[in-house]
């Protein structure tokens, strides 16, 4: 995958490739539905504790999950969260977290 994240919320090429194998798509969608909420909770808990290092790590894991589906909007938000948290500051993190979890419903895009 290119290091540049496209402007669209969801990468159509990634979704099309996943759709070619319906069973793989269902398995990955189910995995995302299982894993992502826990990763988001971990991110929010770390933010609530004021732990910038844990926020950065949680955002990195969530970003990796989002990349699998071409969820560009979530990837961009997680990258921004990581960058801010790596400075040791959590200033503006709330809005970035909202952007990472408040984007389009991925299940509707890949299902």
């Amino acid at each position: 995958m290119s290091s540049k994240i496209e402007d669209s919320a969801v990468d159509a090429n990634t979704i099309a490739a996943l759709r070619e194998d319906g069973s793989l798509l269902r398995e990955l969608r189910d995995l995302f539905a299982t894993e992502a909420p826990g990763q988001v909770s971990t991110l929010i808990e770390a933010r609530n504790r004021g732990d910038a290092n844990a926020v950065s790590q949680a955002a990195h894991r969530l970003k990796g999950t989002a990349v699998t589906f071409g969820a560009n909007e979530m990837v961009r938000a997680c990258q921004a969260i990581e960058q801010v948290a790596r400075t040791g500051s959590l200033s503006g993190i709330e809005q970035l977290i909202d952007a990472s979890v408040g984007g389009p419903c991925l299940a509707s895009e890949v299902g």
Side-chain angles (χ1 to χ4, degrees):
M1 171 163 206
S2 169
S3 62
K4 182 181 181 314
I5 303 303
E6 299 299 322
D7 290 335
S8 63
V10 178
D11 182 352
N13 292 328
T14 299
I15 300 307
L18 289 171
R19 283 191 173 131
E20 289 180 13
D21 182 349
S23 63
L24 176 60
L25 176 60
R26 283 186 297 279
E27 184 178 330
L28 288 174
R29 183 184 58 208
D30 291 347
L31 180 62
F32 184 85
T34 301
E35 295 294 320
Q39 292 173 344
V40 170
S41 292
T42 299
L43 178 63
I44 292 169
E45 289 167 8
R47 186 254 352 251
N48 290 344
R49 289 192 314 271
D51 186 341
N53 186 50
V55 166
S56 176
Q57 291 173 0
H60 183 79
R61 283 189 298 278
L62 184 57
K63 179 180 71 178
T65 300
V67 164
T68 301
F69 281 97
N72 296 335
E73 190 172 313
M74 183 178 283
V75 171
R76 285 190 297 272
C78 288
Q79 286 174 329
I81 292 167
E82 267 189 280
Q83 288 177 331
V84 170
R86 284 183 182 165
T87 69
S89 170
L90 294 179
S91 177
I93 289 288
E94 186 72 34
Q95 294 82 9
L96 294 171
I97 290 174
D98 287 347
S100 72
V101 299
C105 176
L106 205 50
S108 68
E109 296 293 333
V110 299

